[in-house]
Amino acid sequence: MNLAAQDIRHNLGRFALTAVGIGLLLMIVLGMSGIYRGMIDDALVVVDHIGADSWVVQRGTRGPFAEISRLPANLEHRLRAVPGVASARSFVSHNVQREHRGKPLRMNVHGLAWPEDKGEWVNLIAGRPLSQAHYEMIADTSLGLELGEKLVFAGDTYTVGGVTKGMVSSGGDGIAFFTVRDAQAIQFDLSGEATRLERAARVQRAVGQDIGRAQPLLLERGAGLSSGLPALGPPMVSAITVRLAEGADSGAVAKTVAAWPDVSVHTRDGQVQLLVHGMIDKARRQLGLFRILLVIISTIIMALILYTLTLDKIHDIAMLKLMGARNSMIAGLILQQALLLGALGFGIAWCLGAWVFPKFPRRVLVAPEDLWGLAVVVVIISVLSSLLGIWKAMRVAPNKVLA
Amino acid sequence: MNTTSAIEVFNLTKVYGCGNTEVVAMKDVNLRVAKGEVIALLGPSGAGKSTLLTAMGLINPPTAGRIVIGGVPVLDGPQPLVNLRAFRRHHLGFVFQKANLIPFLNAVQNVQVALEINDVPTRHARHRARELLDYLGVADRAENLPDALSGGQQQRVAVARALANEPALILADEPTAALDSHRGRQVMELFRKVAHERGAGVIVVTHDQRALNAFDRTFEMEDGQLST
Ligand SMILES: Nc1ncnc2c1ncn2[C@@H]1O[C@H](COP(=O)(O)OP(=O)(O)OP(=O)(O)O)[C@@H](O)[C@H]1O
Ligand SMILES: [Mg+2]
C-alpha cells in the first residue's frame, strides 16, 4: 500500500491545483528557453539561407546585424574583380513600419540583387520568385499579406508575387523581399519638398566651400539629381555578400579584401558568432535570470505546499512513529509526494507548452535537450522542496499522538 | 522471550519540567505483569496513570528506573538499551481514548499499515487486516474512511490495529471511555481473549468501576505512587 498515493487521493483538489500551478511555472521556464532558441533560429535565418561565404562591411563595423554599416553599391563591382570571387551581391536590409489596411505593418525590407538573385532561396510556400526588376515583392506569411495583394511604398505600388514561411529578421519582424533598387527606393524615400530642400542646401554647402568655388560646375550639378553627383553619395548598401568560386582560397580572398582601407571582412561563421554573442547575448542572460527566478519560486511554492501537507499529517506521522514506522517510510511518503508533484507539473508544462507555444507571436523552439534539462531540474527541486517537510516530520515525537 | 513476565518495571520515576515548574508525576513505581494477564490501572485525574503507561510504551522515557519487557531490558532511566522504535514495532500494541486512525486510509488500510510497518507483504497484510476487522465485527465497514465510522467502530478498528502484530504487551489508555457500556465490555472481553489465547500482557487505564470484574488484578495510582 502506498501511503503517499492514499494521502494524495484524500487531498486531491489541493494537490491537483498545486500541480497545475507548478506546471504553469515550469511551462514558462520551458518557454523562456524556447524563446531564446527561437530568437537564435530567427536571427540565423538570413545568414543561413543567403548562402554567402563572407560578408564585406563598412570598415571597423561588425556588419549589418550588429550595427549600421554603409557601403557604396559599386563596391560590388570591385569585389567581382578579386580572384576567387564567384559572385558579389548587395545586401540591403532595414525595418519599416507603415500603415496598411488601417493597421500598422512592421516589416524588414530585404533587397535581392536582381537579376542574379531573384529570391529562389527564400523558402516559398506560394507564388514565385521575383519576375521583374521593379514593383514586385515576396512577403513572409507572418506579415499577413496575401498573394496578389497590392501595397504602396514611396509612391509606388508593389504586388505580392510570392509568400514565404519562417523568414523573419533577428528582431522577429517578417521579411519582405524586393529588388535592391526597390528596397533602396523604399529606404530613401523623400517627399518632393524634402528633395528640393536637400538640393538647395547642398548647393549652399558647396558655395561655402573651397570645392564649390574651384569647380562651379558642381553647383550646377548640385541642384540636379543625386545620381549625377557621385561625390555626394548615391543610396548606399548595408553589406556585400561574397560567394567564392569552387576551390578558391578563402584566406587569400579575405586577405586581399581586408587590405582595402574602406572595408572589413567577416566570414559566415563570424557573422553567426556576432549574432549569437552580440545582440542575442543580453536577451539570453535576461531570460536565463528569469528562468532561475522561476525555478526558485517553483521550489518555494512546492516546499510550502509539501510543508503544509506534512503539517496536516503531523498527528498521523506521530502515530506511525508510535507504531514503530521507520524514518525511511515517513520521509519516503513526503519525498514521493514531492516527486509526483514535480512529475505532474512537468507533464502539464510539456503538454500545455506544446499547445500554447505555437500560438505565440514569436517563435518558441523547445529542443529535446531543454526538456531533459528541465526534467533534471524538476527532480532536483522536488527533492529540495521535500526537505522542509521531511525535517518537520523527523522532529515530531511519537507521544505527540496524545496531545 | 522465554520468561513468564510480559513486563517488569523497577523504581520508575518521572519528573516533568525543572526548577519551580517541576512536577513529580511518578515516583518509585514497581510493577510486574505476567503473560496472559489483564490488569487495570485506576486512580484520580493527574495521578500519573498516563505517565506510567507511556513510559512502559517506550514513548515517554522515565527520569529513572528500569523497564524489562518480555525478559529484555529496554530502558535504564532515560537511556534506551535497544532500538525503541523497532521494539515498539515488534512487541507493543497501543489503544487510546481517541482512535487516532489515519484519516486518509480506510479501515482495512489502517490495520494493514501496522502490518506493513512490520514488513508483512502487502497481500498478506491485507488479508490479515480483513480477518481482524471480521474478528472485531467491523468487516462490513472495511472500505470506509474513518470519518464515515462511528466512534465505537473507529475504536474497534484501532483495537484491531493494536492486535495486528500479535504484540507481547498491549497498553490501553481509557480505551472504552468513548464507547457505550456494551461496546466497552466487548472491547474488554477482546483484551481478555487476546491475553489468554496469545499470552499477551494487557494493561488498561480505566475509570469504569463497573468493568472491574474483567481484570485479573487492579492497581490504584495516587500522586504518582502505585498500590494494589
Ligand atoms: N508533558 C508534561 N509536562 C509537564 N507535566 C505533565 C506532563 N504530562 C503530564 N504532566 C503532569 O504529570 C501529572 C500526571 O499526569 P498524567 O497525565 O500521567 O495523569 P493521569 O493519571 O493520566 O490523569 P487523567 O486521568 O486525567 O488522564 C499531572 O500533574 C500532569 O499535570
Ligand atoms: Mg491520562
Side-chain angles (χ1 to χ4, degrees):
Chain A
M1 177 178 53
N2 187 289
L3 289 179
Q6 296 298 335
D7 183 34
I8 288 168
R9 269 176 54 180
H10 200 243
N11 285 303
L12 202 56
R14 182 150 42 137
F15 197 82
L17 208 63
T18 311
V20 170
I22 300 290
L24 286 171
L25 280 170
L26 292 178
M27 184 191 80
I28 299 173
V29 172
L30 201 60
M32 295 232 162
S33 60
I35 289 172
Y36 171 62
R37 276 191 196 283
M39 278 168 70
I40 292 189
D41 211 59
D42 283 355
L44 298 183
V45 160
V46 170
V47 181
D48 274 345
H49 281 75
I50 207 163
D53 295 315
S54 45
W55 295 70
V56 178
V57 300
Q58 181 184 333
R59 183 84 183 174
T61 71
R62 302 268 139 152
F65 303 109
E67 54 188 310
I68 289 176
S69 160
R70 285 264 171 258
L71 291 171
N74 59 16
L75 182 68
E76 207 178 300
H77 308 302
R78 219 199 300 167
L79 281 163
R80 288 204 186 105
V82 176
V85 170
S87 72
R89 293 172 181 179
S90 297
F91 179 87
V92 174
S93 173
H94 58 271
N95 286 328
V96 298
Q97 182 167 334
R98 301 287 155 83
E99 193 95 344
H100 180 62
R101 281 190 257 155
K103 275 189 288 182
L105 175 69
R106 191 176 162 77
M107 62 184 194
N108 180 264
V109 173
H110 185 108
L112 298 174
W114 176 274
E116 299 87 25
D117 184 357
K118 300 184 179 68
E120 291 88 349
W121 53 271
V122 300
N123 195 18
L124 282 168
I125 55 165
R128 49 170 170 68
L130 299 183
S131 64
Q132 57 187 48
H134 289 291
Y135 313 131
E136 270 196 10
M137 63 187 282
I138 303 170
D140 189 69
T141 66
S142 65
L143 295 172
L145 301 175
E146 277 158 32
L147 215 54
E149 193 162 347
K150 294 194 186 323
L151 293 92
V152 176
F153 296 111
D156 295 316
T157 305
Y158 293 83
T159 308
V160 179
V163 176
T164 65
K165 191 173 164 58
M167 302 301 285
V168 294
S169 73
S170 57
D173 302 309
I175 299 177
F177 298 91
F178 300 80
T179 62
V180 166
R181 290 256 169 263
D182 287 351
Q184 286 174 330
I186 294 166
Q187 184 176 11
F188 298 104
D189 171 35
L190 288 175
S191 67
E193 181 60 14
T195 307
R196 273 191 293 281
L197 286 172
E198 166 58 18
R199 284 175 187 173
R202 205 192 275 161
V203 171
Q204 283 308 308
R205 280 201 300 275
V207 166
Q209 284 171 13
D210 181 47
I211 188 168
R213 296 204 193 96
Q215 298 186 31
L217 195 61
L218 203 62
L219 301 180
E220 240 164 76
R221 289 269 185 95
L225 292 171
S226 289
S227 56
L229 258 180
L232 297 183
M236 294 195 159
V237 298
S238 303
I240 310 279
T241 60
V242 170
R243 200 179 291 194
L244 298 177
E246 196 90 25
D249 179 0
S250 64
V253 173
K255 214 173 144 197
T256 309
V257 178
W260 299 350
D262 57 341
V263 298
S264 292
V265 192
H266 296 286
T267 61
R268 186 189 164 281
D269 289 342
Q271 279 298 315
V272 170
Q273 290 308 314
L274 282 173
L275 269 173
V276 174
H277 295 299
M279 61 175 301
I280 309 180
D281 190 54
K282 274 208 184 108
R284 181 179 66 86
R285 279 183 294 172
Q286 180 108 334
L287 291 172
L289 285 175
F290 265 115
R291 280 202 288 171
I292 292 171
L293 276 180
L294 285 170
V295 166
I296 294 172
I297 293 169
S298 309
T299 313
I300 292 172
I301 292 179
M302 269 176 83
L304 223 59
I305 198 75
L306 288 164
Y307 185 69
T308 54
L309 280 170
T310 306
L311 279 189
D312 285 357
K313 284 194 294 284
I314 219 71
H315 186 261
D316 310 318
I317 288 169
M319 188 64 210
L320 288 169
K321 284 190 172 180
L322 182 103
M323 291 192 288
R326 294 173 181 89
N327 281 338
S328 59
M329 181 186 192
I330 291 156
L333 162 67
I334 298 165
L335 186 62
Q336 282 169 31
Q337 292 188 337
L339 289 171
L340 195 66
L341 199 59
L344 273 176
F346 179 75
I348 290 170
W350 188 342
C351 297
L352 222 56
W355 178 59
V356 165
F357 291 157
K359 299 182 170 43
F360 275 38
R362 285 202 64 174
R363 202 192 314 242
V364 181
L365 214 65
V366 177
E369 55 261 42
D370 291 338
L371 277 172
W372 286 119
L374 186 66
V376 171
V377 167
V378 166
V379 171
I380 294 170
I381 66 174
S382 300
V383 172
L384 281 181
S385 62
S386 66
L387 292 181
L388 189 63
I390 290 175
W391 171 79
K392 182 73 187 173
M394 290 302 110
R395 278 165 45 105
V396 64
N399 59 15
K400 263 277 185 293
V401 172
L402 307 171
Chain B
M1 295 194 198
N2 47 357
T3 164
T4 55
S5 303
I7 184 167
E8 288 174 279
V9 305
F10 304 99
N11 302 319
L12 230 46
T13 300
K14 177 75 186 185
V15 182
Y16 288 112
C18 57
N20 47 8
T21 63
E22 196 172 281
V23 179
V24 181
M26 182 167 72
K27 197 165 166 47
D28 286 327
V29 171
N30 287 285
L31 176 66
R32 178 180 175 276
V33 179
K35 286 179 176 174
E37 195 177 24
V38 183
I39 70 147
L41 215 50
L42 301 166
S45 182
K49 307 180 294 295
S50 295
T51 302
L52 174 59
L53 201 78
T54 51
M56 293 189 292
L58 313 180
I59 54 174
N60 183 19
T63 315
R66 263 164 20 94
I67 301 178
V68 179
I69 298 178
V72 181
V74 288
L75 270 175
D76 188 0
Q79 198 62 44
L81 305 173
V82 295
N83 178 340
L84 297 184
R85 211 185 288 189
F87 200 90
R88 286 201 297 275
R89 171 157 79 227
H90 292 122
H91 305 296
L92 302 185
F94 293 89
V95 185
F96 301 102
Q97 183 175 341
K98 282 199 310 183
N100 291 314
L101 297 180
I102 293 171
F104 55 86
L105 300 180
N106 65 27
V108 204
Q109 289 168 333
N110 259 290
V111 181
Q112 194 183 335
V113 74
L115 289 154
E116 287 188 15
I117 284 172
N118 239 331
D119 302 323
V120 177
T122 304
R123 278 181 62 129
H124 187 196
R126 194 164 182 81
H127 183 71
R128 172 127 179 78
R130 284 192 176 280
E131 276 180 359
L132 279 161
L133 290 184
D134 199 28
Y135 184 64
L136 282 144
V138 276
D140 54 327
R141 312 305 307 272
E143 306 297 334
N144 286 91
L145 288 175
D147 270 352
L149 302 178
S150 75
Q153 288 167 333
Q154 286 184 25
Q155 193 62 312
R156 279 183 280 161
V157 176
V159 173
R161 178 175 65 182
L163 302 181
N165 290 306
E166 304 193 355
L169 182 65
I170 294 170
L171 302 164
D173 200 346
E174 304 184 33
T176 60
L179 303 182
D180 62 44
S181 60
H182 173 66
R183 288 295 182 201
R185 200 167 357 260
Q186 250 187 347
V187 168
M188 287 315 305
E189 274 162 19
L190 203 69
F191 283 151
R192 287 189 67 78
K193 195 169 157 188
V194 174
H196 296 158
E197 283 177 4
R198 301 194 175 140
V202 181
I203 303 173
V204 182
V205 171
T206 185
H207 282 119
D208 191 355
Q209 300 288 332
R210 294 166 301 175
L212 291 185
N213 56 357
F215 298 96
D216 298 320
R217 285 190 291 159
T218 59
F219 292 87
E220 276 281 332
M221 216 167 170
E222 183 111 43
D223 284 339
Q225 310 230 301
L226 197 66
S227 58
T228 39

